[in-house]
Each structure stands twice: as C-alpha cells, then as structure tokens.
Amino acid sequence: MTLKLYAHPFSSYCQKVLTALYENGIPFEYRMLGDEAANAELAALWPIRKFPVLIDGERTVLEASIIIEHLGLFHPGPVKLVPEDPRAALDVRMMDRFFDNYIMTPMQKIVADRIRSEPDRDSHGVIEARRMLDTAYAWLDYAMAGREWAAGDAFSMADCAAAPSLFYADWAHPISAEHANVHAYRKRLLARPSFARAVDEARPYRQYFPLGAPDRD
C-alpha cells in the first residue's frame, strides 16, 4: 500500500477526499489525526498543519481538490471524478470551487466564530457569512434545476465538495425550505454510499460541533 492519508473523520475537507477514495474503492492507510504520533508526522510533513494531506510514495499532496485530481491521474478507478473532456472538466472544477469558496468557507466562518471567546467574536463577519450562504443557496437552487449532480448527470469531484459543504452548512445556517432543489440534492448526496460512509465514520464526534449538531442526518 503506497497511499497514506492524514485526516480526521469530522473534518469537512477530509470528508471531501474520503468520499473520493470510497467512491472508487482505493485502498489507503488512514493516519487519523488526534493521535499523538499522527499529529507529529503531519507537523513534520507540512508545518502549516492543514489537512487532509496525502502521501503517495515519495510525493506529498496538499489540498483536497488537488488530492482528488492526483488520485484520478495516478490511482484511477471506475468513477472519473474529473472528466477527460476539457470543457466538462472546467464545469466540474468551477462547481468544486463554488462549494469550497461560497458554501464551505462561510460555513466555517460561522462555526469558527462560535469557538472563540465572547470578546473575540466577529458578529459582523458572521452576518456577512450568513448572507453569503443565503445568496449561494439561492444560486445553487437555480443551478440544480434539472440536474442530478453538481455538474450534470455524472457524480464528480464537485459532488465530493458539495457533500460535506451542504451537510455542515445546513447545520450552521439552515437552507430555506423554498430551495427545494438544494434540499433534494443534499438528500441525494447523503444517500450516496461513499459519502454515507464518511458521515457514519464521523458520527462519534458530533458532540464536538460548536453550534450543536441537530438530531437528524
């Protein structure tokens, strides 16, 4: 086994990569962070200590989207998460960036702010993050009309990004009932076996969600 993943099951960006790995049944060694030895190894590999980090032989691969692209190039499976057609690949990458930048980022702003002590909280920043999520939900509802998956009919890297983004975002700032397409899409993502596995692996850690995990999903 050449692949080693430094990750934590409750992390949204780790779930993004785990979904890609499970989607194609790619074997890997799971170096679960929180363990003292795994934490020390990660610090030595990547001093910034952001995760997930993938080790493939002598190569260290950083950032969730790049890890998924790397897997597609060097460990391809039956599900092509980035299409070979350049134009279709651009659509996938664009939606991948949409979920990371406009769903995941404002969601994490809201969550991180709750962890801070009261004097250090950024109420204005949280208001802006919630406003961004409302705008993103509305755009996504329009974009998903007639689509099964984020970039069309095929499950892709964009859906690996969408799954944890929408999963946690709806906990942090609930998706309005009027966005029926987004709710239906989130439900399809939760039913996807690869993401369902990632969600199940993270269940023991729900008590640590700073806003309080809802009794659903």
Side-chain angles (χ1 to χ4, degrees):
M1 183 183 297
T2 61
L3 294 179
K4 185 183 297 185
L5 183 73
Y6 290 85
H8 190 279
F10 203 52
S11 159
S12 53
Y13 279 110
C14 293
Q15 288 182 8
K16 176 177 174 176
V17 170
L18 288 166
T19 299
L21 287 162
Y22 297 154
E23 189 70 26
N24 276 308
I26 301 171
F28 66 99
E29 179 185 348
Y30 198 150
R31 299 296 291 149
M32 190 176 297
L33 298 170
D35 173 79
E36 187 175 340
N39 290 351
E41 291 169 22
L42 176 66
L45 287 166
W46 183 225
I48 292 177
R49 303 188 190 192
K50 294 290 186 180
F51 48 88
V53 170
L54 181 76
I55 303 300
D56 186 359
E58 298 298 317
R59 184 186 293 262
T60 299
V61 189
L62 311 172
E63 299 295 328
S65 296
I66 304 304
I67 291 172
I68 294 174
E69 297 250 18
H70 176 90
L71 293 172
L73 288 173
F74 299 103
H75 302 273
V79 181
K80 291 188 177 298
L81 296 174
V82 179
E84 292 181 358
D85 177 74
R87 181 169 294 180
L90 279 180
D91 290 340
V92 166
R93 292 185 178 107
M94 188 278 286
M95 291 301 292
D96 173 74
R97 303 322 306 140
F98 167 78
F99 288 111
D100 278 6
N101 291 329
Y102 306 116
I103 302 287
M104 195 91 81
T105 296
M107 176 274 292
Q108 291 187 334
K109 169 68 177 176
I110 295 169
V111 172
D113 193 74
R114 181 59 64 90
I115 298 172
R116 296 173 177 168
S117 61
E118 188 68 38
D120 296 326
R121 289 184 181 171
D122 177 13
S123 60
H124 178 71
V126 169
I127 290 171
E128 287 188 329
R130 293 186 183 279
R131 185 179 297 122
M132 174 63 75
L133 283 172
D134 284 335
T135 302
Y137 292 159
W139 182 87
L140 182 61
D141 194 69
Y142 171 80
M144 289 304 299
R147 292 186 189 180
E148 182 175 9
W149 302 112
D153 296 329
F155 190 89
S156 71
M157 177 172 69
D159 301 292
C160 295
S165 297
L166 292 172
F167 179 71
Y168 285 119
D170 191 46
W171 287 9
H173 184 72
I175 301 164
S176 171
E178 68 183 297
H179 300 319
N181 292 330
V182 180
H183 280 287
Y185 176 47
R186 186 178 183 274
K187 186 176 180 179
R188 288 194 296 276
L189 291 166
L190 282 163
R192 189 80 177 187
S194 55
F195 183 57
R197 178 178 173 182
V199 169
D200 284 342
E201 290 174 346
R203 288 185 188 280
Y205 304 96
R206 289 191 175 193
Q207 60 183 307
Y208 300 113
F209 190 68
L211 299 169
D215 187 20
R216 56 180 171 87
D217 298 329

